[in-house]
Amino acid sequence: MEQNFLITINNLVKNFPIGGGEFTALNGINLTFNTGEFVGFVGPSGSGKTTLLNIIGSLDTPSEGSVNVLGREVGKLNTKKAAILRRQHLGFIFQTYNLLPVYSVYENVEFPLLLLKMNASERKKAVMDALVWVGLTDKIKSRPAQLSGGECQRVAVARAMVKKPKIVLADEPTANLDAANSHNILKMMLKLNEELKTTFIFATHDDKVIKYLKRKISLEDGKVIQDEIIKTNKEK
Amino acid sequence: MLAIKLAYRNLIGAGLRTWLNVFVLSFTYILIIWQYGVIDGWNYQAKFDMQAWEFGNGQYWQRNYDPYDYFSFEESHAAIPELLQKATSEGIVTPILISQGTIYPDGRLQSMILRGISPNQKVIAIPSAELNTKSEEIPVVIGRRMANSCKLKQGDITTIRWRDANGTFDAKEVKVVKIFNCDVPSVDAGQMYISLEKLQEMMQTPGEATMFVVGENSAMKDSISGWKYKSIDFLMKDMTELIKMKKVGGSIFYFILLLLAMLAIFDTQVLSIFRRQKEIGTYIAMGMTRKQVVGLFTVEGAMHAILAVIVGAVYGVPFLLWQMKIGMTMPAGSDDMGIPIAKTIFPVYGAGLVISTILLVLIITTIVSYMPAHKISKMNPTDAIKGKIQ
């Protein structure tokens, strides 16, 4: 019997034009992901991690093959439908946080809910819940410029999680953080993954992140070279 | 609705940058409204003065009369028809007899126009009642410009010469009994007012007139044989054309102002596209469609114009009202230009002027904001997120 996966990737190829020719960033990727996974694409720079994450996030399209996210073929979505998919089901966390600089912490976290046209009372509750998860209830009026790197990333996590998406895509989320902040953020994400059953997909080459992964997919030159399930201490 | 909410947040959040643009735009509004208000005020005052002092509510011209051809004056007088006699006795119209003459102030010579007017008329504002002054010499009334050019003062006696209907030259002493102030040069410069009966006697044209001025409260425009009715629109044509020209000149200033303000908005929006690429990428990643992002940036630009109305109202309304009260004093000599200009022009701000200025600035700001915003639709979201310049 065929299993219904959250994400299915078949023979994915992604080429980018460079000069007169083409650069192949991803070559023949086949992967599936289930609900509640805590998975990371691991590999050196240029291995295709971010490209793969962008395609899953419908920010980019495959050159060949298919990527099915929550029953939608990413390559066949027009820009509007791709935007709706991201708005309803996907959360993004970026290496440089990408917080809206003129918004307060509260407004940054509230933003995805405004796009979902959620009513004001539900919105307020959801934002406050998200800020409780990340421990930033005392900073709701602060602007991103007034926060530390760790706090900014916690706001970014709250913003990604506030709408309780099915999938969160995190691109090098700890690259700009010190060790203590990295561990705090990762523990928080792991907790949210376990409590809300949200699928987290990372693109990283940071050992601190790798230690927390439950599944590690190693990429090299655009190809999957290893896909391993990592047993926790309890499972061992 | 979402675009308005987010645009408002973005603008308020951007702080000084927003307020600088808003101030420039509000300044544009106020300057445009003020400048057009001054022109409209001038127009209003000029028309009011010309009607009060010269045109009334229209004129009847003897069929040969041509105000631009002084040689026609000798042939352009005729007996007052019955209908106009009746209207004159009712005070609805006032007859004027016009002739060429020469004045010799202090032995010098100057051409002028002699205008015979009834001392009891109340149709136009010439202080003709002064012509009833008892004097050995002929009492005359002149305006300030005439007095200045002939160096005459009230009470001065001088000689005038004219030619009567038979072509005979004659001369007499006149006494200046009144010098009046008037903003309409054609009423004042080179004009001398004398009692109608006296001029008819001097000209040997008893019971004749060159033209009639219809009172402002009368709608009389019946056709009369041998006399041509000239409507107020016809009489004001030159002035209307002049105001129109002035408005065209003003429009260049208006256009430059608007261009500067639009440049500020366009610059802000274009810079935003580059400076806010990361933000735009983030909007797209979070699920905004490209159309929504274009809409957001367009509304942001347009909202500058709306905020400018509010900011402009705060300092502009008191300024415009103050200007309306104290008026704008015209520089010395401006009344020598031959066009009716009051010493102080009081601006007039109509609702149409205010609304059309606001709408024009709003529409142009929106268009100017849309153009760079449209570029966003071509932005690659994956590069935009990283803030890579595209």
Side-chain angles (χ1 to χ4, degrees), chain A residues 126-138:
Chain A
V127 173
M128 291 314 291
D129 285 349
L131 289 171
V132 169
W133 297 334
V134 298
L136 279 174
T137 47
D138 56 333

Side-chain angles (χ1 to χ4, degrees), chain B residues 42 46 50 145 182-186 238-239 242-243 246 330 333-342 345:
Chain B
W42 172 29
M50 287 170 90
R145 288 180 187 82
C182 170
D183 297 325
V184 186
S186 54
D238 288 349
M239 184 65 200
L242 188 78
I243 296 283
K246 188 76 193 156
M330 297 307 289
S334 55
D335 60 344
D336 294 335
M337 288 191 293
I339 48 175
I341 300 180
I345 292 180

Side-chain angles (χ1 to χ4, degrees), chain B residues 54-355:
Chain B
E54 190 176 14
F55 297 147
N57 202 25
Q59 291 180 342
Y60 279 97
W61 290 0
Q62 199 277 339
R63 65 179 173 199
N64 298 325
Y65 175 60
D66 177 358
Y68 299 112
D69 178 9
Y70 290 3
F71 296 128
S72 74
F73 293 177
E74 303 305 321
E75 309 297 326
S76 54
H77 47 82
I80 299 171
E82 201 179 326
L83 184 67
L84 288 172
Q85 263 179 18
K86 191 167 169 274
T88 305
S89 59
E90 288 169 359
I92 295 171
V93 301
T94 191
I96 294 176
L97 180 63
I98 300 173
S99 173
Q100 272 186 291
T102 316
I103 186 169
Y104 297 87
D106 288 334
R108 287 174 286 113
L109 176 152
Q110 193 168 319
S111 293
M112 61 161 183
I113 303 294
L114 277 166
R115 286 180 181 257
I117 186 166
S118 168
N120 304 321
Q121 68 80 29
K122 290 192 168 47
V123 171
I124 51 177
I126 306 288
S128 51
E130 301 288 340
L131 299 171
N132 286 325
T133 307
K134 298 289 176 208
S135 163
E136 279 182 26
E137 297 80 17
I138 301 169
V140 295
V141 166
I142 57 172
R144 186 177 39 83
R145 288 180 187 82
M146 177 69 172
N148 288 344
S149 67
C150 296
K151 295 191 168 44
L152 288 171
K153 298 189 297 295
Q154 195 167 320
D156 281 355
I157 295 167
T158 186
T159 307
I160 62 163
R161 192 179 74 142
W162 70 94
R163 202 165 79 146
D164 67 21
N166 301 316
T168 309
F169 282 100
D170 204 348
K172 263 192 178 164
E173 302 266 272
V174 295
K175 183 178 183 183
V176 179
V177 293
K178 175 79 179 170
I179 296 172
F180 62 85
N181 279 313
C182 170
D183 297 325
V184 186
S186 54
V187 169
D188 179 350
Q191 313 286 319
M192 177 174 278
Y193 293 85
I194 192 165
S195 159
L196 176 64
E197 268 185 50
K198 190 69 193 171
L199 188 60
Q200 283 171 339
E201 184 195 314
M202 287 156 59
M203 294 283 297
Q204 296 194 18
T205 54
E208 292 193 8
T210 307
M211 64 145 85
F212 288 81
V213 181
V214 179
E216 273 191 68
N217 299 324
S218 169
M220 185 175 172
K221 54 181 177 184
D222 313 332
S223 61
I224 297 166
S225 172
W227 297 78
K228 292 182 284 189
Y229 175 73
K230 301 291 175 187
S231 69
I232 193 71
D233 289 340
F234 173 83
L235 296 168
M236 295 275 191
K237 205 175 159 196
D238 288 349
M239 184 65 200
T240 310
E241 291 292 322
L242 188 78
I243 296 283
K244 221 184 263 178
M245 281 296 292
K246 188 76 193 156
K247 278 201 168 176
V248 171
S251 299
I252 295 169
F253 180 62
Y254 184 118
F255 178 73
I256 292 170
L257 267 177
L258 207 58
L259 198 74
L260 282 174
M262 291 307 121
L263 205 65
I265 298 295
F266 187 75
D267 219 32
T268 307
Q269 296 298 95
V270 170
L271 276 174
S272 289
I273 305 264
F274 292 103
R275 206 170 39 79
R276 294 169 68 185
Q277 273 194 95
K278 212 167 166 179
E279 185 184 326
I280 292 162
T282 309
Y283 287 141
I284 292 172
M286 283 195 284
M288 277 182 97
T289 60
R290 287 163 196 261
K291 211 170 152 184
Q292 277 178 310
V293 177
V294 172
L296 173 62
F297 273 71
T298 307
V299 172
E300 262 186 44
M303 214 171 253
H304 279 105
I306 294 164
L307 286 175
V309 172
I310 299 164
V311 170
V314 171
Y315 71 90
V317 170
F319 168 76
L320 294 174
L321 289 177
W322 173 71
Q323 274 288 297
M324 209 160 91
K325 196 178 168 194
I326 68 148
M328 198 177 76
T329 306
M330 297 307 289
S334 55
D335 60 344
D336 294 335
M337 288 191 293
I339 48 175
I341 300 180
K343 279 200 185 79
T344 305
I345 292 180
F346 296 92
V348 172
Y349 316 112
L353 169 67
V354 176
I355 292 167

Side-chain angles (χ1 to χ4, degrees), chain A residues 80-217:
Chain A
K80 191 179 174 186
K81 284 183 177 163
I84 293 169
L85 171 67
R86 291 193 295 272
R87 189 187 307 164
Q88 292 177 335
H89 303 296
L90 306 181
F92 287 86
I93 300 168
F94 304 100
Q95 178 181 338
T96 51
Y97 328 127
N98 286 46
L99 298 179
L100 301 171
V102 299
Y103 288 9
S104 66
V105 166
Y106 184 94
E107 287 167 341
N108 262 288
V109 179
E110 186 192 26
F111 189 85
L113 305 180
L114 287 173
L115 295 181
L116 289 173
K117 293 178 181 157
M118 191 182 274
N119 71 49
S121 58
E122 282 180 57
R123 211 162 62 218
K124 190 174 178 185
K125 188 182 177 308
V127 173
M128 291 314 291
D129 285 349
L131 289 171
V132 169
W133 297 334
V134 298
L136 279 174
T137 47
D138 56 333
K139 301 270 183 182
I140 55 173
K141 286 183 181 165
S142 303
R143 293 273 181 96
Q146 298 167 307
L147 303 175
S148 68
E151 285 171 332
C152 282
Q153 199 58 300
R154 277 150 68 192
V155 178
V157 173
R159 183 178 66 182
M161 292 301 298
V162 69
K163 62 187 174 189
K164 295 182 182 165
K166 290 201 165 64
I167 303 161
V168 170
L169 302 165
D171 190 5
E172 306 279 9
T174 55
N176 286 332
L177 301 179
D178 58 27
N181 269 314
S182 299
H183 286 297
N184 285 338
I185 292 281
L186 285 161
K187 276 180 197 161
M188 196 175 64
M189 290 201 230
L190 198 55
K191 192 172 164 231
L192 290 169
N193 162 256
E194 281 162 5
E195 284 177 9
L196 303 173
K197 297 289 168 221
T198 305
T199 300
F200 278 79
I201 305 177
F202 295 86
T204 186
H205 60 263
D206 184 349
D207 288 337
K208 297 190 289 292
V209 178
I210 296 167
K211 273 206 286 187
Y212 285 85
L213 298 177
K214 293 175 185 170
R215 181 183 170 193
K216 184 172 89 172
I217 299 165

